[in-house]
């Protein structure tokens, strides 16, 4: 097994590239044909079988650079045939051996990332580094996942390096009064500890805190948005895009299958009368599927603006599979923002919307009435209307009549309420009244709930 | 190890003989695809020579090229195989008499059916099979190059259809069984990235992204395609195109447009870029009115820069 390659692939995975086992096998064959000697060749070769999208390519190039640079001296070992190209290392290690009083098994079991070493003072550094890297491999450093594990691994590596023995050696020397010798040893020991720290930090960087990120993503999906820190909200857009991509790929396939034709018997017979009724030419029935329109109306007033943001981002990310979608937002008057999303990237568009129209309490009466006026002539039995809001109109006009007109005209009116079910109909919440004029009122407390709702919606629309 | 490098350099040289100037990344991927017998999926902006690579490769290997242009609604009867329906019907009509003879002397329905069973499924044998590009490439005598062009335009289910071919180089026809390739063809898929391809498809392919080339490489490409263009003009026009690509355009000029432009400049017998000339021929390079309007005010600076830098 080619351990270096496997490590590299783990490194890539930690940086978000999805690499399957089949691709790993391919990569091994690539390495077998190309070898490690020509970096640029190796990069191009591996890129072709490991990076499968344009984004992945740039990501890959970065990872490649970083990984093979940290493999000090850039000579990844090719499994067991390390004997021929490491003579210089052996001598260095031996030379350093008596100075450090350690004499580690020099060269023989050379671990990965052998340093080729420089001259003079850097020679000692690289020898220390070699030792540390070997010890780190022993301690299983490459499995480090969280920042908090640094201490544990430092302990393990230092143990592998026989640090305690060294400490007691120094103590003995001090007791014996050989201060100078002890001082020298102590200096070397400190240098080693510093190196261990460096190696651990570098490995952590390589692993990119992948497990930590995974954990965070999983938590984010289930957390209620209102309870989320601002810092974590920044992390949402990529997550939303990821979820949307999953949804999109699931629903795209189903869509295509529904459009198969059947034999049009009547037409086939008619057209083949000339051949005595023998059906030389066949004709197929084609089914035409009417496209449905989706109208999204989002409350962006203070209380639920975070949710509107998420829903709008979600809808934009789904534009691939969702039919014609028009987005509206409101505080007071309803305003169409579909064009903004066409002009700017989603994040930027959201910022513009928030800046231009944000803030203020929601006025449902004005919002629903103006919404109805704008879409009245576009609504038909294929339209689906999604409204996101908490239904708290501050005691003002509810606009229930407008909603009822929409309800009668459209195929589906969905109301997404970010509030928890228990607080509906408390205080100034008018959700019960809105319930009577929409097909379904759903609670979308967390990202996962919203994902499920949209999933169902997509199946329904197809 | 240096063998691989040598082989790849050779590959570049051979492609150059066919008039295709390949970068090292392209040649490496092609080399690996040949070694591993894997399909290549090529992505990149339109007009950077994705399809051309397949043509050049086929010419280089002296193998036939089967091209399948994808579009929405493409299905297996157009891509893979079809039954020669009219031939089947015709034979049935003609053989009616024969059937009488065969069934002569049988008594009872069961016997007649029994006797018919002895004749197998003659109407669904390979003789009535109409191979389409995919099947043709599998059946070719000495191997072939199969180009599946613009796969992103095809439907999702067509991608699934391709999976068996891409992974095992075999096709399963329900009526006949599994047909295996006699010689594994070199498969090249191209995509303009109008939509994401499925992971299953990507997993089975090597991925090659061809971006717009660097000025040096593009200059060599123009030289190989339009050798009559003087060096000075070539340098200028390639630099100019690179300047234009930096602007925010609806459609960036690709290599094919650079080559077209070089040809038209050659026809006009000019030796260096001048403002009037560029203004008059800009429509060769840019395909949208908005783009032309965008570039026009910048012309002076662009030409000056194209002239100065190397």
């Amino acid at each position: 097994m080619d351990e270096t390659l496997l490590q590299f692939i783990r490194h890539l995975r930690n940086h978000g590239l999805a690499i399957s086992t089949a691709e790993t096998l391919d990569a091994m064959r690539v390495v077998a044909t190309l070898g490690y000697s020509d970096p640029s060749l190796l990069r191009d070769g591996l890129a072709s079988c490991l990076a499968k999208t344009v984004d992945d390519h740039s990501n890959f190039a970065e990872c490649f650079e970083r990984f093979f640079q940290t493999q000090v001296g850039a000579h990844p070992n090719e499994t067991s045939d390390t004997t021929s190209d490491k003579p210089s290392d052996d001598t260095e290690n031996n030379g350093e051996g008596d100075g450090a009083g350690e004499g580690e098994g020099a060269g023989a079991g050379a671990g990965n990332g052998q340093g080729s070493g420089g001259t003079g003072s850097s020679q000692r550094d690289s020898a220390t580094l070699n030792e540390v890297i070997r010890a780190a491999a022993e301690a299983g450093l490459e499995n480090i996942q969280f920042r908090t594990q640094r201490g544990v691994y430092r302990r393990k590596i230092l143990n592998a390096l026989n640090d305690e023995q060294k400490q007691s050696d120094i103590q003995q020397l001090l007791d014996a009064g050989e201060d100078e010798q002890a001082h020298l040893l102590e200096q070397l020991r400190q240098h080693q500890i510093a190196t261990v720290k460096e190696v651990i930090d570098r490995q952590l960087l390589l692993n990119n805190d992948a497990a930590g990120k995974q954990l965070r993503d999983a938590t984010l999906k289930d957390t209620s948005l209102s309870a989320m820190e601002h810092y974590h909200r920044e992390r949402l857009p990529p997550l939303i895009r990821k979820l949307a991509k999953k949804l999109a790929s699931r629903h795209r396939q189903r869509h295509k299958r529904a459009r198969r034709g059947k034999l049009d018997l009547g037409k086939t017979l008619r057209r083949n009368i000339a051949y005595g009724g023998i059906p030389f030419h066949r004709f197929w029935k084609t089914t035409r599927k009417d496209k449905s329109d989706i109208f999204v109306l989002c409350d962006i007033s203070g209380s639920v603006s975070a949710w509107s943001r998420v829903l709008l981002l979600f809808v934009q990310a789904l534009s691939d599979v969702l039919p014609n979608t028009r987005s509206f937002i409101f505080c007071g008057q309803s305003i169409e923002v579909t064009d903004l999303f066409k002009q700017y990237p989603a994040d930027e568009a959201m910022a513009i919307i928030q800046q231009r129209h944000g803030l203020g309490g929601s006025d449902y009466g004005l919002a629903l009435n103006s919404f109805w006026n704008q879409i009245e002539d576009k609504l038909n039995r294929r339209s689906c209307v999604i409204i996101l809001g908490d239904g708290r109109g501050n005691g003002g006009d509810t606009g229930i009549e407008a909603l009822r007109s929409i309800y009668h005209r459209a195929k589906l009116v969905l109301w997404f309420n970010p509030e928890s079910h228990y607080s509906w109909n408390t205080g100034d919440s008018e959700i019960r009244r809105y319930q009577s004029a929409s097909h379904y009122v759903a609670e979308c407390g967390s990202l996962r709930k919203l994902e499920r709702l949209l999933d169902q919606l997509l199946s329904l629309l197809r | 190890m240096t063998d691989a490098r040598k082989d790849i350099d050779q590959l570049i040289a051979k492609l150059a003989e066919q008039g295709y100037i390949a970068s090292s990344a392209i040649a490496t991927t092609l080399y690996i695809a040949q070694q591993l017998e894997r399909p290549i999926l090529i992505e990149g902006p339109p007009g950077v020579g994705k399809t051309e690579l397949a043509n050049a490769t086929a010419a280089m290997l002296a193998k036939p090229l089967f091209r399948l242009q994808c579009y929405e609604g493409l299905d297996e009867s157009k891509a893979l195989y079809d039954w020669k329906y009219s031939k089947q019907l015709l034979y049935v009509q003609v053989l009616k008499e024969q059937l009488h003879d065969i069934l002569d002397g049988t008594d009872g329905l069961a016997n007649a059916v029994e006797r018919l069973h002895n004749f197998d499924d003659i109407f669904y044998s390979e003789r009535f099979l109409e191979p389409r590009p995919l099947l043709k490439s599998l059946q070719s005598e000495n191997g072939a190059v199969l180009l599946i062009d613009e796969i992103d335009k095809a439907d999702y289910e067509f991608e699934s259809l391709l999976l068996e071919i891409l992974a095992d180089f075999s096709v399963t026809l329900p009526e006949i069984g599994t047909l295996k390739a006699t010689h594994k063809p070199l498969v090249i898929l191209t995509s303009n990235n109008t939509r994401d391809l499925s992971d299953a498809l990507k997993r089975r392919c090597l991925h090659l992204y061809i971006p717009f080339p660097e000025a040096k490489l593009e200059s060599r490409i123009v030289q190989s395609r339009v050798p009559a263009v003087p060096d000075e003009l070539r340098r200028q026009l390639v630099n100019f195109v690179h300047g234009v690509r930096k602007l925010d355009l609806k459609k960036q000029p690709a290599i094919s447009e650079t080559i077209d432009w070089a040809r038209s400049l050659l026809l006009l017998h000019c030796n260096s870029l001048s403002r009037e000339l560029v203004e008059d021929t800009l429509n060769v390079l840019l395909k949208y009115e908005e783009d032309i309007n965008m570039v026009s005010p910048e012309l002076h600076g662009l030409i000056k820069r194209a002239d100065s830098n190397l």
Side-chain angles (χ1 to χ4, degrees):
Chain A
M1 289 297 263
D2 192 336
E3 191 53 39
T4 310
L5 181 65
L6 289 181
Q7 247 177 27
F8 178 54
I9 285 171
R10 266 197 294 276
H11 172 51
L12 288 176
R13 281 186 186 143
N14 285 342
H15 281 260
L17 272 75
I19 293 167
S20 67
T21 318
E23 282 160 334
T24 310
L25 291 176
D26 274 354
M28 287 189 159
R29 290 174 67 190
V30 168
V31 169
T33 36
L34 296 180
Y36 277 113
S37 56
D38 193 332
S40 75
L41 205 62
L42 185 65
R43 192 193 55 220
D44 291 343
L46 285 180
S48 72
C49 63
L50 293 179
K52 299 278 166 104
T53 64
V54 180
D55 290 341
D56 280 356
H57 269 279
S58 58
N59 213 336
F60 175 88
E62 255 175 52
C63 288
F64 186 89
E65 200 80 347
R66 197 173 323 145
F67 184 82
F68 285 102
Q69 216 162 40
T70 39
Q71 296 281 319
V72 196
H75 232 310
N77 57 335
E78 294 200 43
T79 50
S80 59
D81 56 344
T82 45
T83 39
S84 60
D85 54 349
K86 298 283 193 309
S88 63
D89 283 333
D90 291 3
T91 49
E92 271 169 34
N93 276 344
N94 285 334
E96 178 62 37
D98 39 23
E102 278 295 315
E104 287 253 348
N112 62 60
Q114 276 286 1
S116 56
T119 50
S121 66
S122 69
Q123 193 170 334
R124 187 195 295 159
D125 287 355
S126 78
T128 316
L129 191 58
N130 276 338
E131 254 174 50
V132 170
I133 287 177
R134 210 174 306 142
E138 235 173 84
L141 177 65
E142 61 144 346
N143 295 324
I144 190 169
Q145 283 177 330
F146 301 106
R147 250 161 217 294
T148 44
Q149 287 175 314
R150 274 187 297 191
V152 178
Y153 277 98
R154 209 183 77 169
R155 194 71 258 148
K156 274 190 191 171
I157 294 171
L158 286 178
N159 275 346
L161 286 170
N162 247 339
D163 190 56
E164 276 177 39
Q165 173 74 37
K166 258 183 232 176
Q167 265 176 320
S168 65
D169 279 355
I170 291 168
Q171 199 55 47
Q172 270 176 17
L173 283 171
L174 276 176
D175 291 345
E178 295 185 45
D179 277 10
E180 202 167 315
Q181 184 76 16
H183 185 66
L184 186 68
L185 275 187
E186 177 64 26
Q187 213 176 358
L188 279 174
R189 183 173 158 258
Q190 287 305 331
H191 176 62
Q192 198 174 42
I193 291 176
T195 318
V196 169
K197 258 189 203 160
E198 261 173 47
V199 167
I200 292 176
D201 281 347
R202 206 169 49 199
Q203 186 65 44
L204 205 58
L205 195 70
L206 276 184
N207 287 3
N208 192 22
D209 202 7
K213 272 187 193 153
Q214 260 170 25
L215 188 70
R216 192 167 63 201
D217 280 1
T219 324
L220 278 185
K221 272 187 218 167
D222 285 322
T223 314
S224 163
L225 200 72
S226 46
M228 209 178 275
E229 299 276 341
H230 181 70
Y231 164 79
H232 286 306
R233 279 187 202 159
E234 301 292 305
R235 175 74 197 127
L236 278 179
L239 191 62
I240 291 172
R241 270 194 289 275
K242 214 163 113 188
L243 288 177
K245 200 175 162 194
K246 205 171 79 186
L247 273 185
S249 68
R250 189 185 314 157
H251 287 280
R252 209 165 354 213
Q253 247 157 358
R254 197 178 311 158
H255 174 53
K256 296 294 181 190
R257 200 159 301 142
R259 285 198 322 196
R260 272 278 165 80
K262 282 185 188 155
L263 187 67
D264 187 341
L265 206 59
K267 193 171 178 188
T268 307
L269 284 178
R270 271 199 307 281
R271 294 292 169 88
N272 282 301
I273 287 175
Y275 309 110
I278 296 161
F280 271 102
H281 301 296
R282 287 161 295 179
F283 295 91
W284 305 97
K285 267 182 197 160
T286 45
T287 44
R288 186 184 294 272
K289 206 151 186 208
D290 287 325
K291 270 195 172 177
S292 43
D293 306 305
I294 293 186
F295 298 91
V296 181
L297 177 66
C298 286
D299 185 353
I300 59 161
S301 68
S303 47
V304 286
S305 67
W307 272 112
S308 300
R309 196 182 146 82
V310 168
L311 181 65
L312 283 174
L313 284 179
F314 224 127
V315 168
Q316 290 311 311
L318 278 176
S319 61
D320 222 16
V321 277
L322 279 179
N324 303 329
T325 310
R326 289 175 65 185
S327 317
F328 295 79
I329 48 106
F330 73 89
C331 266
Q333 191 96 12
S334 294
I335 299 152
E336 178 157 12
V337 291
T338 318
D339 286 340
L340 270 179
F341 278 107
K342 277 184 193 148
Q343 270 171 26
Y344 301 97
D347 299 355
E348 211 172 306
M350 282 309 309
I352 293 172
I353 290 169
Q354 203 50 255
Q355 184 207 352
R356 276 193 206 160
H357 313 292
L359 297 177
S362 34
D363 179 348
Y364 278 87
L366 182 58
L368 287 173
N369 280 315
S370 54
F371 182 54
W372 164 242
N373 286 338
Q374 282 178 72
I375 64 168
E376 188 182 356
D377 52 339
K378 296 286 186 307
L379 269 185
N380 51 38
R381 56 179 180 79
R382 295 191 305 272
S383 317
C384 171
V385 179
I386 301 173
I387 300 172
L388 186 135
D390 54 5
R392 292 186 185 277
N394 304 321
D397 179 16
T398 54
I400 188 78
E401 288 311 314
L403 185 63
R404 206 173 298 282
S405 331
I406 296 173
Y407 175 69
H408 286 311
R409 186 81 70 92
K411 174 184 169 195
L412 196 60
V413 177
L414 297 176
W415 191 295
F416 288 180
N417 191 347
E419 275 188 352
S420 144
H421 206 287
Y422 302 107
S423 45
W424 292 5
N425 302 321
T426 58
D428 60 346
S429 173
E430 302 277 4
I431 199 75
R432 194 201 302 273
R433 297 190 65 189
Y434 293 127
Q435 231 163 349
S436 70
S438 50
H439 293 89
Y440 189 54
V441 180
E443 176 196 336
C444 57
S446 69
L447 210 52
R448 200 185 292 279
K449 279 181 192 154
L450 186 61
E451 187 201 358
R452 208 171 298 148
L453 281 175
L454 287 175
D455 191 14
Q456 285 166 358
L457 176 68
L458 279 169
S459 332
L460 208 68
L461 289 179
R462 292 283 140 100
Chain B
M1 293 169 196
T2 44
D3 290 355
R5 171 54 84 184
K6 226 180 282 167
D7 287 348
I8 287 168
D9 285 342
Q10 218 169 23
L11 204 58
I12 294 179
K14 275 200 218 154
L15 282 174
E17 276 171 35
Q18 306 299 331
Y20 190 90
I21 310 293
S23 70
S24 171
I26 295 175
T28 310
T29 311
L30 194 60
Y31 174 75
I32 292 175
Q34 283 176 326
Q35 297 292 320
L36 268 60
E37 297 181 320
R38 278 293 153 106
I40 312 178
L41 170 65
I42 310 178
E43 284 187 309
V48 288
K50 298 190 290 290
T51 310
E52 202 49 41
L53 176 62
N55 287 331
T57 311
M60 177 187 80
L61 299 171
K63 286 179 180 171
L65 175 79
F66 294 100
R67 179 174 171 161
L68 177 67
Q69 174 70 47
C70 295
Y71 52 87
E72 217 179 307
L74 179 69
D75 59 4
E76 56 185 0
S77 66
K78 284 166 198 141
L80 192 54
Y81 73 99
D82 204 356
W83 294 106
K84 292 176 180 166
Y85 174 69
S86 307
K87 190 174 167 187
Q88 286 170 335
L89 268 184
L90 199 67
Y91 276 42
V92 170
Q93 295 295 314
V94 173
L95 293 178
K96 249 183 195 167
E97 317 283 308
Q98 291 284 318
L99 277 176
H100 275 296
D101 294 349
I102 290 169
L103 297 179
D104 224 18
T106 51
D107 50 338
L109 206 58
N111 276 342
V113 170
E114 190 56 41
R115 198 174 283 191
L116 276 180
H117 273 312
N118 293 334
F119 291 92
D120 282 338
D121 301 324
I122 32 171
F123 289 112
Y124 285 99
S125 61
E126 288 195 37
R127 296 209 177 158
F128 291 94
L129 199 62
E130 170 95 69
R132 304 285 189 198
L134 290 181
L135 192 57
K136 269 188 201 161
S137 73
L138 292 184
Q139 288 176 330
S140 66
E141 292 287 313
N142 303 312
V145 177
L146 171 63
L147 168 65
I148 302 175
D149 216 359
E150 306 190 334
I151 175 75
D152 51 335
K153 292 219 177 101
D155 301 327
Y156 247 77
E157 51 191 24
F158 182 70
E159 276 181 34
S160 318
L161 180 77
L162 279 179
L163 295 182
E164 189 189 4
I165 297 171
L166 296 184
D168 305 333
F169 295 101
S170 66
V171 184
T172 306
L173 314 182
E175 295 89 347
I176 293 182
T178 306
L179 297 179
K180 263 201 134 8
T182 41
H183 285 85
K184 288 183 182 175
L186 178 68
V187 183
I188 296 179
L189 300 101
T190 74
S191 159
N192 279 338
N193 227 344
T194 53
R195 68 171 172 85
D196 280 343
L197 300 173
S198 71
D199 288 341
L201 181 80
K202 284 192 165 172
R203 199 174 59 231
R204 285 166 176 80
C205 300
L206 298 174
H207 186 266
L208 173 65
Y209 178 69
I210 307 185
F212 287 123
E214 287 163 19
K216 226 183 193 169
L217 190 64
E218 186 158 18
S219 174
R220 279 181 54 210
I221 294 171
V222 175
Q223 188 180 20
S224 118
R225 282 304 165 97
V226 201
V229 172
D231 289 354
E232 178 61 18
L233 178 64
R234 195 178 67 233
R235 188 181 64 78
Q236 277 183 348
L237 81 90
V238 168
N239 281 337
F240 181 85
V241 171
H242 273 255
V244 170
R245 280 197 198 130
K246 286 197 187 106
L247 301 172
D248 291 325
L249 298 180
K250 221 168 165 180
K251 185 191 176 307
Q252 307 231 306
I255 303 176
S256 51
E257 269 106 27
T258 316
I259 292 170
D260 284 348
W261 198 38
R263 285 213 180 101
S264 26
L265 289 181
L266 196 65
L267 277 178
L268 296 170
H269 296 292
C270 58
N271 290 319
S272 71
L273 289 185
S274 68
R275 198 192 160 109
E276 294 78 46
L277 192 73
V278 175
E279 250 170 19
D280 293 345
T281 55
L282 206 55
N283 53 351
V284 180
L285 204 58
L286 299 172
K287 303 292 165 77
Y288 284 96
E289 190 64 36
E290 294 99 306
D291 286 354
I292 293 178
N293 289 339
M294 178 105 140
V295 171
S296 295
E298 312 273 338
L299 273 185
H300 188 66
L302 280 171
I303 293 171
K304 216 170 170 186
R305 247 172 286 148
D307 207 21
S308 61
N309 65 11
L310 287 167

